[in-house]
Amino acid sequence: MTARGGAGAKGPGARGKRSGERDGTGLRSVAGQVFALEALIALLVIAAAVFVTFYQARNDTERDARVRSLAVAEAFAKAPGVDAALVAPDPTAELQKRAEETRRATGVDFIAVLSPDGVRYTDSQPELIGRKATGDLNRAVVDGESYTELFRGAPNDAVRAVVPVVNDQGKIVGMVTSGVEVENITDAVQERLPLLIGAAGGALVLAVGGAALVSRRLRRQTHGLGPAEMTRMKEHHEAVLHAVREGVLIVGPDRRLLLANDEARRLLGLTADMERQHVSELGLDARTVELLESGRSATDEVHRAGDRLLAVSVRPTLPAGRESGCVMTMRDTTELAALTGRAAVARGRLQLLYEAGVRIGTTLEVVRTAEELAEVAVPRFADFATVELLEPVLRGEEPPPSSPATTEMRRTALSGLRPDQPLQPVGDTIRFDVPSTPMATALSAGHAMVQAELASAEGWREQDPEGAAQALAYGMHSLLTVPLLARGVVLGMANFWRADTPEPFGEEDLSFAEELAARAAVAIDNARRFTREHAMAVTLQRSLLPRVLPEQSAVEVAYRYLPAKAGVGGDWFDVIPLPGARVALVVGDVVGHGLHAAATMGRLRTAVHNFSTLDVPPDELLGHLDELTGRIDDRESEGQDGEARRREEGITGATCLYAIYDPASGRCTVASAGHPGPALVWPDGRVEFPELSPGLPLGLGLGDAPFEATELLLPEGSKLVLFTDGLLEDRGRDLDTGLGLLRSTLARPDRSPEQTCADALATLLSPTPRDDIALLVARTRLLDRERIAEWEVARHPSAVSPVRNAAAAKLSEWGLDGLAFTAELVLSELITNAVRYGADPVRVRLLHDRTLICEVSDGSSTSPHLRHAAATDEGGRGLYLVAQYAERWGTRYGRRGKTIWAELRVGADDAEPVVPAVPDLDALEDLAW
């Protein structure tokens, strides 16, 4: 700690340490040292006592084990029949049971009977019987001595006793050993350890508590300081008291002077021999004497001392309720009084500049920024303030660099003490045609100008005689005008007027006005540039969004798009008609604002349009879009500055929600790439937020989490509401609160999509949205079942004609006889192809919508290709004929198989296309693709 803290000895740690010393808690204080010493001594004594007691207990336990082991061994060795058993043919059979019973009865860990050469006849571990005991046994075998020892070896360390067994003839016929294992001795000692530690802890607590009481008493007497600190404090007290530029008097309870520092003697004219005199004998002012004798407190009271004015403060030296002296401090304010007025003005100007930096430029709107400048200046600097800006600046354009263009401006802001002012209102054109006016002079000079007396401003009066006369009659008497300059270019100008304030503007006001105008000009220029970029981004955004929704019969659609006030973002929506009378509904959001976000949105919208022509499910389309986004980001990251450009211009962070609705079945398939799911409003007004697999935002890569599609079955009249998060989130509202408000707004049955859009924005839109808002409301429709015809087709050439004839009958029923030939031709070609080259099942479906849609589905994934047959080819013209007769055609793949579709224009007046002569329809069935 010392090594690491050495370099920072003057930091906060050092201050904290000195604070601890003053509180008496540091070890450098006398009280702290005494406490630490007593606690240390107590700790050492208790630790020594615990150590001695522990080892004494261990020795006592070991000694007890020796005595007990020797007594058991001697008792067993001298037991009747033991000597005879040792010379018997099988000593183990006669002695093992007796030895174990004796061991259990006496509580020793083992009893072993040995032969004279040390081989075990009995043992508590039977596997050791027959094995020779280890250790030196000569004392028992040779000398016939009984003894105890601390044995260390196999099988266990133990305190054991060895006793020879002597027969009636005095011959040693064997030995008996018994003992207690060292491990059990240690366990017995450790059982006493908690009690020993508890007793030691109690003793330590008592010792430390006693030391704390002694230290506390000592701390009170020494105030927590040691001798060195007390001496140093006295020296510092003396040095500070006589060096400060503030007079100090200390008066005792008897109102006699105890101490006066050098500054007090100088200010009051006191001499060194005046100490111990009564305050009334010091020659002080009567008010000062009365204050010292009263014993009351005072703060910055002004008292006279000769020709000086002193600011006097008095505080008692002891707490209230006790007879106390007092301390009086004083400082000379004679010169300060003369500077107070100017200092107050300067302080006010600095405060006003600070407020201007906070209040001007809060909205990035040119007009509002000019209004903030006028509001800041009134009334603390001027009685009236006007701001005029050039017309290009108001539109967000670059201001003209030439000076003649600056002679005409638009009044943008006006603020004043009274509403009945004579100045031209906001919106008027202000001209400075006369070069000698203060405004024209300031513009040509490029800095602020003061007209202290307006009545003498001939140029100003010549510019507008009638208006000048009204202003002078109103009381306008002084003007300060300053051009608003940013990057060396004039944006406009600010004029400050005084009417009620009697003092005119002076030269000292110029620097303040220029500083104020400079800050405002920067804010106005920022707002102007933001206005230009915002206008460009809005124009780009709106040009990239759909202007007119395509005609389709699947849903009734209404939409809203609102750019953010702080900057256009990358929100978009789309309605894309798909084959089979289906429709795709799309919303997306690009992270960020400005031109780049709008351009990125256009790229993604174009990509979605292109991928939608593949007619793949929503999850597959998002997979293609994610892959394309990743490739774009990878290409933009190439090069030396690629990573920075990717961070700035990459698409990563975009989200998209793609839904396909089929009016023939009422099924809606939805997939999301990190975008909030839609709201579903049932015809009875119930509102649900279906759970979708959210997926990752575009550009992050699919990895192990591919996009997943969710299928919904929607009754007719349901509303599918797609939106971006800007609709829900705002400064004072989180996502859950926004969802709750949206739910309550949508839960209104019998509302059209247009009314639903209006209700949602009225409830959720804030005055200044932080993010773009895209809202798309689609009310579902179902195709009339009478306008849908379906047939199963057997995979045999003979099955084509019946289906073709049934289709012709259905067209006649629908009143489409004019399309019969074309429809039969298209169906013949498509069905024949499915029968010959497809797989079961083969189905045919006719949809009568805005167009006649012919669909032939089969279980094969092989797609036909359009080709031009040669004159000698017998086949290959079928798909060419379909392409010529159909408005458009294509292939759609499903989970199993494919669907080939063709759309025919509905209209009796439509002329059939000119195609090569074809054989009859039955003959077409024999043609190959």
Side-chain angles (χ1 to χ4, degrees), residues 112-455:
V113 179
L114 311 178
S115 66
D117 56 357
V119 177
R120 292 184 177 89
Y121 288 143
T122 70
D123 199 279
S124 58
Q125 299 182 28
E127 64 272 13
L128 298 178
I129 296 175
R131 297 171 61 181
K132 189 174 182 178
T134 59
D136 185 9
L137 302 175
N138 290 331
R139 294 173 59 186
V141 176
V142 178
D143 302 334
E145 179 184 352
S146 298
Y147 64 92
T148 62
E149 66 177 354
L150 180 59
F151 171 76
R152 297 191 182 277
N156 294 303
D157 297 343
V159 173
R160 74 177 180 181
V162 183
V163 177
V165 179
V166 183
N167 59 10
D168 295 338
Q169 288 78 27
K171 182 181 178 181
I172 297 175
V173 293
M175 293 173 286
V176 177
T177 65
S178 69
V180 180
E181 294 180 357
V182 172
E183 180 179 354
N184 293 334
I185 296 174
T186 303
D187 292 342
V189 175
Q190 288 179 349
E191 288 177 358
R192 304 181 188 178
L193 193 59
L195 178 62
L196 187 61
I197 293 176
L204 181 61
V205 169
L206 291 176
V208 172
L213 292 176
V214 173
S215 175
R216 183 179 179 184
R217 177 66 177 173
L218 187 60
R219 184 172 62 251
R220 288 181 179 177
Q221 295 178 348
T222 62
H223 298 285
L225 299 174
E229 286 81 3
M230 295 167 64
T231 302
R232 186 167 60 252
M233 178 175 287
K234 182 177 184 303
E235 293 173 350
H236 291 173
H237 170 75
E238 293 282 347
V240 171
L241 189 64
H242 294 287
V244 295
R245 298 296 296 169
E246 193 171 74
V248 178
L249 289 182
I250 301 178
V251 179
D254 56 357
R255 300 299 180 257
R256 293 185 177 275
L257 179 63
L258 299 180
L259 183 143
N261 69 345
D262 296 341
E263 183 67 8
R265 293 194 183 100
R266 185 185 71 82
L267 294 175
L268 299 177
L270 303 178
T271 58
D273 57 358
M274 287 187 173
E275 293 185 358
R276 302 304 306 170
Q277 292 187 11
H278 197 273
V279 294
S280 59
E281 302 173 355
L282 301 178
L284 305 178
D285 182 74
R287 289 184 62 242
T288 307
V289 173
E290 185 275 332
L291 175 62
L292 292 173
E293 289 181 340
S294 66
R296 65 182 178 86
S297 299
T299 301
D300 288 341
E301 289 188 5
V302 180
H303 291 250
R304 282 194 171 276
D307 57 351
R308 292 188 175 90
L309 293 177
L310 305 180
V312 173
S313 298
V314 178
R315 293 292 183 272
T317 56
L318 294 177
R322 301 172 58 184
E323 185 177 4
S324 170
C326 63
V327 177
M328 183 174 76
T329 60
M330 65 201 79
R331 62 182 184 275
D332 192 354
T333 61
T334 305
E335 297 178 358
L336 184 61
L339 299 175
T340 300
R342 292 196 296 273
V345 173
R347 185 167 56 251
R349 295 286 171 83
L350 289 175
Q351 180 66 25
L352 186 56
L353 284 177
Y354 170 77
E355 293 181 9
V358 174
R359 293 174 56 185
I360 298 176
T362 59
T363 61
L364 288 177
E365 296 179 5
V366 174
V367 174
R368 181 55 194 155
T369 304
E371 292 173 349
E372 289 169 345
L373 169 59
E375 292 168 359
V376 164
V378 177
R380 295 164 61 180
F381 179 64
D383 299 332
F384 297 90
T386 61
V387 179
E388 290 79 41
L389 297 178
L390 295 171
E391 288 286 357
V393 175
L394 290 172
R395 296 192 298 266
E397 302 172 2
E398 284 288 341
S402 58
S403 57
T406 62
T407 59
E408 183 176 304
M409 299 182 183
R410 180 76 60 185
R411 177 149 292 170
T412 309
L414 189 154
S415 180
L417 294 176
R418 291 173 285 169
D420 58 336
Q421 41 77 28
L423 302 173
Q424 289 178 259
V426 172
D428 275 14
T429 299
I430 309 299
R431 294 180 174 84
F432 313 113
D433 299 329
V434 180
S436 60
T437 60
M439 297 79 166
T441 304
L443 287 173
S444 62
H447 57 76
M449 298 292 294
V450 170
Q451 185 65 49
E453 295 293 335
L454 270 177

Side-chain angles (χ1 to χ4, degrees), residues 679-683 714-715 717-721 746 748-753 756 777-780:
L680 177 58
V681 184
W682 297 90
L714 307 181
S718 302
K719 287 197 285 287
L720 199 63
V721 182
L746 298 178
R748 301 177 185 176
D750 303 326
R751 306 287 287 178
S752 68
T756 301
V777 179
R779 182 160 59 188
T780 61

Side-chain angles (χ1 to χ4, degrees), residues 793-801 803-804 824-844 855-867 875-882 889-893 897-901 921-929:
V793 182
R795 291 193 62 226
H796 191 275
S798 63
V800 178
S801 294
V803 175
R804 188 184 65 215
E824 289 183 63
L825 172 63
V826 170
L827 286 175
S828 292
E829 295 301 327
L830 297 181
I831 297 173
T832 301
N833 177 72
V835 168
R836 288 188 175 183
Y837 307 110
D840 286 330
V842 178
R843 295 186 178 90
V844 176
E855 296 181 347
V856 177
S857 304
D858 68 85
S860 171
S861 298
T862 303
S863 176
H865 299 281
L866 178 66
R867 61 191 178 93
R877 299 178 178 84
L879 194 58
Y880 174 74
L881 293 176
V882 172
W889 71 278
T891 304
R892 177 172 71 251
Y893 294 94
K898 66 178 180 298
T899 299
I900 303 178
W901 55 269
L921 297 180
D922 291 326
L924 282 175
E925 298 172 9
D926 297 327
L927 294 179
W929 290 85

